[in-house]
């Protein structure tokens, strides 16, 4: 056999294991130290009661022969696709239900979508970046170009007409920077993609954190996106589904190239390699869009948003430059005194027993930056804010 040697080109992911190792070592040498973790990107609040009820009811249906479900449609049950269709409709985005594909989360589809593209394509990703975009393309042997996201452009790079890219990754609100594109920024990318016969893979996993009505929550709010973009979304952060697994992907019918429909290709890919998301999970996901479901998830989202506000206010008071914190669960701060992100990590752990994520783990432009998240416990986040003020004030 011959192996896919591209795997040798993937950088080992030391980020979270190194953090865990450092925190464990610190805990051993400082027993009882009141360590607070603001590094996690996972949710901490449980599923909404309405989701649990819907899943329990679906499970009961599975126990009776008359209502039992075997294999479902690979692209998802109509009841969930219609609920998502209406969710977009509320924002005046008119989708065809055949454009909506239910997934087991955004991560799987962000990787799997690459089945549709030739390995000759040039891929453009921002630096810093959610590592999945880089690693999945490296596995396939594609050429990757990096575009600088930095303090000068507010970590929201715009297209450079001199660069020719075929596949472009955009994530807004962004992980790790929390930065959010406005309409003009996304329009510039949509125009670039249409002019260059490129496709935008738009990761909207954090759209539910956008509160400012002037900011786009979907790329399909932008004119022209139907012919150049695919959108990935998730119930993970919106409704606490990180362990339950459900998301959706929108592949417009108008997205065509060389006489081939990307929507038809994706349908063929999914019906060949995927057997759908469990019925019970899809019933739980659909409940998120009920009036009661929307109220309940808003409560959890408000909890995280308040944590983000507490941290943002602290950074404001300290005069520390940052992106995110508003319309996003992430805060991306500039390390004080020109410190490197790993040095700042050690300093925070040692002096304030706080854990965050060094920006260096997301790309070279993250070297002097640091990510905090709002997904932690409310009291612990307030305590962490107090410690930051004391240490850096
Ligand atoms: N996209 C981004 C930018 C993320 O940060 C994450 C998870 O942290 C995902 C996608 C994965 O989402 P899911 O849980 O739906 O696979």
């Amino acid at each position: 056999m011959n192996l896919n040697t591209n795997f040798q080109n993937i950088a080992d992911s030391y980020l979270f294991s190194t953090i865990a190792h450092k925190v464990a070592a610190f805990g051993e040498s400082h027993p009882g130290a009141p360590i607070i973790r603001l590094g996690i990107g996972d949710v901490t609040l449980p599923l909404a009661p309405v989701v649990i009820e819907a899943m329990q009811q679906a499970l009961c249906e599975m126990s009776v022969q008359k209502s039992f479900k075997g294999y479902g449609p690979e692209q998802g049950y109509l009841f969930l696709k219609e609920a998502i269709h209406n969710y977009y409709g509320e924002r005046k985005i008119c989708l065809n239900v055949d454009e909506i594909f239910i997934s087991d989360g955004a991560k799987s589809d962000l990787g799997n979508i690459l089945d549709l593209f030739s390995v000759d394509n040039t891929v453009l990703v921002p630096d810093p970046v959610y590592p999945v975009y880089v690693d999945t393309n490296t596995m396939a042997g594609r050429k990757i170009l990096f575009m600088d996201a930095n303090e000068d452009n507010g970590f929201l790079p715009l297209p450079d007409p001199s660069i020719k890219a075929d596949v472009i990754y955009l994530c807004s609100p962004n992980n790790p920077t929390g930065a959010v594109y406005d309409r003009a920024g996304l329009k510039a990318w949509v125009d670039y993609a249409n002019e260059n016969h490129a496709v935008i893979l738009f990761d909207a996993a954090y759209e539910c954190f956008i509160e400012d009505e002037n900011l786009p929550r979907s790329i399909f709010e932008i004119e022209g996106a139907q012919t150049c973009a695919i959108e990935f979304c998730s119930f993970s952060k919106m409704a606490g589904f990180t362990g339950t697994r459900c998301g959706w992907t929108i592949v417009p019918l108008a997205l065509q190239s060389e006489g081939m429909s990307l929507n038809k290709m994706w349908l063929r890919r999914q019906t060949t390699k995927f057997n759908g998301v469990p019925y019970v999970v899809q019933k739980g996901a659909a409940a998120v869009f009920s009036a009661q479901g929307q109220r309940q998830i808003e409560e959890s989202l408000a909890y995280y948003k308040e944590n983000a506000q507490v941290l943002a206010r602290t950074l404001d008071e300290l005069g520390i430059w940052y992106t995110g914190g508003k319309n996003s669960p992430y805060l991306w701060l500039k390390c004080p005194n020109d410190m490197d992100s790993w040095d700042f990590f050690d300093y925070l752990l040692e002096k304030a027993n706080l854990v965050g994520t060094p920006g260096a783990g997301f790309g070279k432009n993250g070297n002097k930056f640091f990510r905090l998240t709002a997904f932690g416990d409310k009291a612990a986040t307030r305590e962490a804010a107090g410690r930051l003020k004391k240490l850096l004030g």
Side-chain angles (χ1 to χ4, degrees):
M1 62 176 171
N2 293 319
L3 294 180
N4 178 354
T5 53
N6 293 317
F7 275 70
Q8 291 171 337
N9 302 327
I10 304 168
D12 279 327
S13 176
Y14 291 123
L15 180 63
F16 290 100
S17 59
T18 308
I19 291 174
H21 181 74
K22 276 178 178 270
V23 174
F26 182 82
E28 267 169 38
S29 55
H30 300 77
I35 295 172
I36 298 178
R37 290 176 169 79
L38 295 176
I40 47 160
D42 198 356
V43 292
T44 48
L45 294 175
L47 293 171
V50 75
V51 169
I52 298 292
E53 275 163 39
M55 287 172 70
Q56 279 170 339
Q57 206 182 332
L59 206 51
C60 289
E61 285 177 49
M62 292 300 242
S63 70
V64 177
Q65 193 172 10
K66 207 166 70 169
S67 51
F68 166 78
K69 302 272 185 297
Y71 291 123
E74 292 90 342
Q75 62 275 38
Y77 283 100
L78 194 58
F79 63 79
L80 180 54
K81 298 201 320 166
E82 278 177 346
I84 293 169
H85 173 268
N86 296 341
Y87 180 63
Y88 278 78
E90 281 161 22
R91 278 177 277 142
K92 310 227 169 3
I93 301 170
C94 186
L95 299 176
N96 184 311
V97 283
D98 291 338
E99 298 179 310
I100 302 166
F101 296 81
I102 307 305
S103 70
D104 61 355
K107 189 179 188 176
S108 318
D109 275 14
L110 279 159
N112 294 337
I113 200 79
L114 294 175
D115 277 3
L116 270 47
F117 303 104
S118 153
V119 286
D120 303 336
N121 282 319
T122 298
V123 175
L124 187 62
V125 293
D127 173 342
V129 70
Y130 176 52
V132 169
Y133 313 152
V134 176
D135 291 351
T136 49
N137 279 289
T138 306
M139 281 175 195
R142 277 191 200 84
K143 184 178 163 202
I144 301 175
L145 298 178
F146 289 93
M147 53 180 159
D148 286 327
N150 51 35
E151 200 177 341
D152 291 342
N153 56 29
F155 287 91
L156 293 168
L158 291 172
D160 174 349
S162 69
I163 290 175
K164 174 83 188 85
D166 306 302
V167 179
I168 301 152
Y169 285 85
L170 297 178
C171 176
S172 176
N174 190 274
N175 177 14
T177 71
V180 188
Y181 276 105
D182 62 12
R183 283 174 210 283
L186 284 191
K187 178 73 176 134
W189 277 112
V190 165
D191 289 347
Y192 169 93
N194 278 322
E195 279 158 25
N196 289 277
H197 191 60
V199 66
I200 296 171
L201 303 181
F202 189 75
D203 186 342
Y206 298 96
E207 59 85 25
C208 53
F209 283 90
I210 296 183
E211 292 193 300
D212 183 342
E213 291 190 353
N214 294 316
L215 293 172
R217 292 175 62 162
S218 162
I219 191 132
F220 298 117
E221 291 178 39
I222 309 299
E223 201 194 331
Q226 297 278 348
T227 51
C228 69
I230 296 175
E231 179 160 296
F232 303 85
C233 217
S234 173
F235 291 94
S236 282
K237 308 300 156 86
M238 176 200 231
F241 272 58
T242 50
T244 307
R245 309 306 304 146
C246 198
W248 70 90
T249 297
I250 296 172
V251 188
L253 289 161
L255 187 54
Q256 313 256 342
S257 182
E258 296 156 35
M260 290 170 84
S261 155
L262 277 78
N263 178 287
K264 295 281 168 296
M265 287 170 73
W266 182 241
L267 179 64
R268 191 71 173 87
R269 190 268 172 213
Q270 290 298 78
T271 50
T272 304
K273 294 195 188 179
F274 183 56
N275 251 340
V277 176
Y279 174 71
V280 174
V281 171
Q282 292 193 56
K283 274 287 178 184
V288 166
F289 295 111
S290 65
Q292 215 186 349
Q294 287 292 292
R295 274 195 302 276
Q296 291 177 1
I297 64 157
E298 263 317 316
E299 266 176 47
S300 301
L301 288 171
Y303 179 99
Y304 298 135
K305 287 174 187 173
E306 203 182 310
N307 283 347
Q309 269 171 23
V310 166
L311 293 170
R313 264 201 307 273
T314 304
L315 297 178
D316 285 335
E317 281 173 34
L318 291 168
I320 292 176
W321 191 93
Y322 67 98
T323 49
K326 295 164 203 79
N327 305 301
S328 165
Y330 295 115
L331 294 98
W332 178 252
L333 61 107
K334 192 173 175 179
C335 302
N337 303 324
D338 205 34
M339 270 171 130
D340 279 340
S341 63
W342 276 112
D343 292 341
F344 186 58
F345 175 91
D346 292 335
Y347 179 71
L348 268 192
L349 180 59
E350 174 80 27
K351 303 285 182 206
N353 302 160
L354 294 179
V355 181
T357 312
F362 301 100
K364 75 169 171 40
N365 288 326
N367 275 344
K368 304 266 176 188
F369 289 83
F370 201 76
R371 192 190 76 172
L372 297 177
T373 88
F375 288 121
D377 173 76
K378 190 173 178 170
T381 304
R382 281 173 198 275
E383 165 68 19
R387 290 190 204 170
L388 279 174
K389 266 188 232 174
K390 205 165 148 202
L391 181 69
L392 305 173

